[in-house]
């Protein structure tokens, strides 16, 4: 699995035979180059079934305000 934010990176991931997840606000730029497109990493986490609190936990174990 490749996480990318650019059309060239997505195309490279595809050429390598990987499943490509684009994380970008420019959906049109990556259309056709990625298997899945999300606007941000929080959306990727939600698609994986994670709660926002789990995604926002810092290395110190505290939660960021979201």
């Amino acid at each position: 699995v490749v996480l990318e934010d650019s059309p060239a990176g997505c195309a490279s991931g595809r050429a390598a035979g990987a499943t490509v997840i684009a994380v970008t606000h420019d959906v049109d730029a990556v259309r056709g180059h990625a298997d899945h497109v999300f606007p941000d990493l929080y959306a990727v986490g939600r698609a994986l079934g994670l709660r926002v609190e789990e995604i926002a936990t810092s290395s110190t174990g505290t939660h960021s305000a979201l």
Side-chain angles (χ1 to χ4, degrees):
V1 174
V2 172
L3 288 172
E4 258 302 335
D5 65 349
S6 71
C10 290
S12 294
R14 278 279 196 64
T19 297
V20 177
I21 299 172
V23 181
T24 180
H25 292 287
D26 192 356
V27 175
D28 292 331
V30 297
R31 189 180 316 274
H33 297 290
D35 298 295
H36 308 281
V37 180
F38 294 94
D40 53 45
L41 289 175
Y42 291 105
V44 173
R46 286 190 300 271
L48 294 173
L50 300 175
R51 296 188 330 241
V52 172
E53 295 82 23
E54 294 170 338
I55 299 168
T57 301
S58 71
S59 61
T60 61
T62 59
H63 295 311
S64 302
L66 296 178

